[in-house]
Structures are given as structure tokens and as C-alpha cells.
Amino acid sequence: TPPIMPMAIRFDHEQLTLAPAGPTLTRRMSDLEGLFRDEAARAAAAAGENPVVYTVTSSPVPEANRELPQSITTIMPGTTSGEFWMTKGHQHPDHQGEIYLAITGRGGILMFDGEQTSWLEMLPGTIGYIPPGWAHRSVNTGTEPYAFLAVYPGGAGHDYDWVVEHGMGKRAFRGPDGSALLRPFAE
Ligand code: PAN
Ligand code: ZN
């Protein structure tokens, strides 16, 4: 493959698209087996309307060592038995760090290093820093789509099994006043 040349990528704030764009990934309820507290409710939703929970649009920058790719994640608003809709969550196999920039809506980053849990509230303009070794999951805590830019080392990778094995320490539910309420992962 030819070397990547310098490029300008246009971000459309209204459409939440990149141009030029790389691959887009769509995750529906059927792709999130075993991740919500109430698996039966998740399975029922997957068997019914099977809604799109989030999309990830990548730039054309490849996920390869020394490159610095970026993507826009858009999580739809919703809850499953009170648990806010969220991404699968993953650990980077070699523990690289990452930054997120919140663009629209409201959300949070749930992070877990195997011992401690961290929660960052994300409002448009917030830069969230994910340090090396912290598994991360994004959550839409609002009533509109929550979108953010992620910038990460090209060799970072995605270890989804780590989260299945270790959990995330906590889960984000909609509290009585509508805001996020963190509860123990297995409660
Ligand atoms: C993000 C995530 C994206 C989707 O680009 O990959 O928000 O979340 P999941 O990968 O957990 O489904 C990122 O953290 N990249 O490293
Ligand atoms: Zn990541």
C-alpha cells in the first residue's frame, strides 16, 4: 500500500460525517449480547425491532502502527431496563492511551483498570483522556444522539474479550432525576 499523504478531512457537524471517510460500523442490539445487565431485555429488543445502538465512522487513516487514526462514534439515546445505551467497551492490548472530544449530546466515559472505576462526564467541548491500561466504554446519558471524536494510535487495537472477562466495575443507569446513576457491575 502507498504511504498515506497529508490530508484534510471535513467534519460535518450536522450530519456527523467525515469526508473523505473510511469504513462505517453499525452496532445493533443483536451485536451487544451479554453486555447489558438485563440480557433477557436485550435479547427481546434484538429479536424485535433490533434498533441501531451506535455507529462508528472512521477517517481514511489506516489502523496501522505509527498512524494516528480517528473516528466519530454516535450513540443513540435509550435505555435497556434502565441501563443507558452504550458501546461494547474494550481494552487496548498494548495499553495505549486515547483521547475523545465530545461533539454533541451528553454522555460519559466509564473506565476500568481491573481495580478502579472512573467516570468522566462528557459535554460538547469536553476532552476525555483515557490513560494507558484503562478499558473504556462510552454511554449516552441524554435524550439526543451523543457523538464524539476519538483519536488513537493506529496499532491500539480492540480487546473486547477483556471486558467480557473483567467487566467494567460499574454500570450507568438512568437515575430518578434522569441523570446517570453508577451501580456496581454485578448488582
Ligand atoms: C473508539 C471505539 C468506539 C466504539 O473508536 O472503538 O467508540 O466502541 P467499541 O469499540 O467499544 O464498540 C475507541 O475507543 N477506539 O479505540
Ligand atoms: Zn479505544
Side-chain angles (χ1 to χ4, degrees), residues 6-172:
M7 70 175 97
I9 299 157
R10 206 187 119 63
F11 171 60
D12 184 324
H13 277 251
E14 305 297 322
Q15 304 298 315
L16 304 175
T17 53
L18 299 173
T24 292
L25 188 124
T26 300
R27 299 246 203 244
R28 294 178 175 272
M29 254 328 158
S30 54
D31 299 309
L32 304 179
E33 188 177 353
L35 296 177
F36 287 96
R37 183 80 195 91
D38 188 346
E39 167 57 19
R42 197 251 2 133
E49 283 189 357
N50 197 21
V52 170
V53 179
Y54 62 99
T55 60
V56 185
T57 299
S58 302
S59 87
V61 178
E63 293 192 349
N65 275 329
R66 300 169 65 212
E67 300 285 358
L68 197 62
Q70 57 284 143
S71 61
I72 305 292
T73 300
T74 305
I75 309 176
M76 299 306 143
T79 55
T80 295
S81 296
E83 188 173 6
F84 282 123
W85 284 6
M86 62 194 186
T87 60
K88 289 177 72 168
H90 60 273
Q91 177 70 280
H92 295 158
D94 294 323
H95 288 184
Q96 288 97 333
E98 179 164 9
I99 58 167
Y100 286 177
L101 169 63
I103 294 162
T104 189
R106 60 187 308 141
I109 313 173
L110 187 63
M111 290 186 246
F112 185 53
D113 72 353
E115 289 178 8
Q116 292 186 73
T117 300
S118 167
W119 172 254
L120 299 185
E121 227 189 297
M122 298 289 286
L123 294 170
T126 307
I127 295 173
Y129 180 57
I130 299 159
W134 289 75
H136 39 288
R137 162 175 286 167
S138 294
V139 181
N140 185 338
T141 59
T143 53
E144 301 163 34
Y146 163 56
F148 63 91
L149 168 75
V151 183
Y152 50 98
H158 297 86
D159 184 353
Y160 294 106
D161 291 342
W162 191 96
V163 167
V164 174
E165 202 177 311
H166 298 87
M168 287 298 299
K170 299 213 165 127
R171 294 178 177 280

